[in-house]
């Protein structure tokens, strides 16, 4: 089996103009390295709630053959991204994986600026505020702050929430380009099956509200006891999409409280992050 095939243009995948990409990235003929993609899919198979994972579970989550998984687990372990835990006969993510995330989120003080705004928003009430990125057809929290009194549905850094039903996911879908949105809709259709027509109609209605009101929302749609609002922001260097969101227990954060009290802080934070320098310091 060949280990390469044609890679879709990077500019189209990111939803950014091609002239923003480096000259190497503009080469549409560069090969897609399947073995690398498979290795990364293994790292992404680990979730925040997983202490350890075995070969079988990883094979089921990635759709890869167990023999392939076993071979790649050995490579990732030798590189230091995974640790083999002999007492369990399974693997755990090592702290080396953190270096990949911090390399992205730490640019130009991006993390510090974002975290400062998250702390300011969290101080305003019993809420959870978060910075998220898309991970497949989920959104994953990469920064999260909440008051101890906030009911958070056991949400933590690394937790994933549904793309179609959550405020962060809807903020992302509203901000991305049409090509990526169509691709994600195709994947969501496979996920929801016969329920997709109704899900799609509700999602399209929610996305149509975003440019009108200036934020995304999910009032009890992901979880009947959870309300949230969100906005999209871009990395000042790469243009990659993140989302800022604020939410919590619906009884403590009804729609009017979110909009009247918390939305101005959310929009202010997004504006400040957007205004970050776009060039290296």
């Amino acid at each position: 089996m060949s280990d390469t095939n044609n890679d879709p243009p990077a500019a189209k995948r990111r939803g950014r103009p091609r002239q923003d990409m480096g000259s190497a990235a503009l080469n549409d003929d560069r090969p897609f390295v399947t073995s690398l993609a498979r290795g990364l899919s293994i790292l992404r198979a680990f979730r925040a709630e997983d202490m350890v994972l075995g070969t079988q579970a990883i094979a089921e989550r990635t759709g890869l053959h167990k023999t392939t998984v076993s071979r790649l687990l050995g490579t990732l372990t030798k590189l230091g991204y995974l640790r083999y835990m002999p007492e369990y006969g399974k693997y755990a993510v090592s702290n080396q994986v953190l270096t990949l995330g911090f390399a992205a989120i730490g640019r130009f003080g991006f993390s510090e600026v974002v975290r400062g705004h998250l702390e300011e928003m969290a101080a305003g009430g019993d809420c959870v505020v978060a910075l998220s990125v898309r991970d497949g057809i989920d959104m994953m929290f990469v920064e999260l702050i909440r008051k101890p009194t906030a009911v958070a549905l056991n949400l933590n850094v690394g937790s994933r929430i549904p793309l179609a039903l959550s405020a962060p996911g809807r903020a992302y879908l509203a901000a991305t380009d049409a090509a990526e949105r169509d691709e994600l809709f195709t994947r969501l259709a496979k996920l929801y099956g016969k329920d997709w027509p109704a899900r799609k109609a509700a999602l399209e209605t929610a996305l149509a509200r975003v440019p009108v009101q200036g934020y995304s929302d999910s009032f009890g749609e992901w979880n009947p006891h959870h309300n949230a609002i969100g906005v999209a922001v871009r990395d000042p260097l790469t243009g990659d999409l993140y989302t800022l969101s604020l939410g919590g227990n619906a009884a403590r954060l009804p729609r009017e409280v979110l909009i009247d009290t918390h939305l101005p802080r959310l929009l202010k934070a997004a504006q400040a992050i957007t205004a970050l320098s776009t060039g290296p310091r």
Side-chain angles (χ1 to χ4, degrees):
M1 178 184 297
S2 171
D3 199 39
T4 63
N5 56 36
N6 289 330
D7 186 17
K12 290 182 180 179
R13 290 198 313 274
R14 289 186 173 182
R16 300 197 293 122
R18 291 171 59 84
Q19 59 266 30
D20 289 346
M21 310 299 292
S23 58
L26 292 177
N27 183 356
D28 294 346
D29 297 327
R30 290 179 304 146
F32 181 88
V33 183
T34 303
S35 58
L36 174 59
R38 288 171 174 170
L40 292 174
S41 73
I42 287 178
L43 291 179
R44 293 176 66 175
F46 287 84
R47 300 166 184 165
E49 63 270 21
D50 294 324
M51 184 173 70
V52 292
L53 281 180
T55 304
Q56 180 63 39
I58 294 172
E60 291 173 356
R61 290 186 183 182
T62 60
L64 299 174
H65 194 278
K66 283 184 65 175
T67 302
T68 301
V69 170
S70 180
R71 174 170 54 83
L72 292 172
L73 285 171
T75 300
L76 291 168
T77 301
K78 288 180 180 179
L79 290 173
Y81 292 115
L82 296 178
R83 293 277 186 265
Y84 180 68
M85 312 298 291
E87 62 269 39
Y88 301 103
K90 298 180 179 181
Y91 294 82
V93 175
S94 83
N95 59 8
Q96 286 300 302
V97 173
L98 295 175
T99 64
L100 302 177
F102 285 125
I105 203 171
R107 283 189 298 259
F108 313 138
F110 184 60
S111 177
E112 289 80 1
V113 170
V114 170
R115 190 166 186 84
H117 285 291
L118 295 184
E119 290 173 345
E120 183 178 343
M121 287 189 288
D126 290 334
C127 58
V128 179
V129 292
L131 180 74
S132 307
V133 298
R134 182 174 70 82
D135 184 20
I137 49 176
D138 293 321
M139 296 298 291
M140 183 175 71
F141 297 130
V142 293
E143 289 274 10
L144 184 145
I145 297 177
R146 64 170 176 259
K147 281 189 173 181
T149 55
V151 178
L153 301 176
N154 199 31
L155 298 177
N156 296 288
V157 170
S159 295
R160 292 174 172 88
I161 57 177
L163 185 69
L165 303 178
S166 66
R170 291 172 173 181
Y172 184 96
L173 286 169
T176 195
D177 63 283
E180 183 180 8
R181 192 180 306 115
D182 289 344
E183 177 189 351
L184 291 170
F185 269 43
T186 299
R187 296 172 66 179
L188 290 168
K190 293 179 180 178
L191 172 68
Y192 290 113
K194 62 182 178 60
D195 295 328
W196 175 237
R199 296 279 194 189
K200 181 181 180 183
L203 177 56
E204 289 178 334
T205 298
L207 294 182
R209 291 196 297 267
V210 176
V212 176
Q213 61 191 19
Y215 60 92
S216 66
D217 59 59
S218 177
F219 297 110
E221 294 170 86
W222 166 45
N223 182 292
H225 305 294
H226 187 84
N227 289 339
I229 53 177
V231 292
V233 295
R234 288 192 179 271
D235 183 297
L237 174 66
T238 66
D240 291 334
L241 273 175
Y242 293 80
T243 63
L244 287 174
S245 61
L246 186 150
N249 184 270
R252 293 176 176 268
L253 290 177
R255 180 192 301 259
E256 58 272 18
V257 171
L258 276 172
I259 304 308
D260 295 342
T261 303
H262 296 288
L263 178 60
R265 296 189 181 101
L266 184 67
L267 296 178
K268 178 184 175 182
Q271 184 178 21
I273 293 167
T274 302
L276 286 172
S277 171
T278 58
R281 292 179 179 177

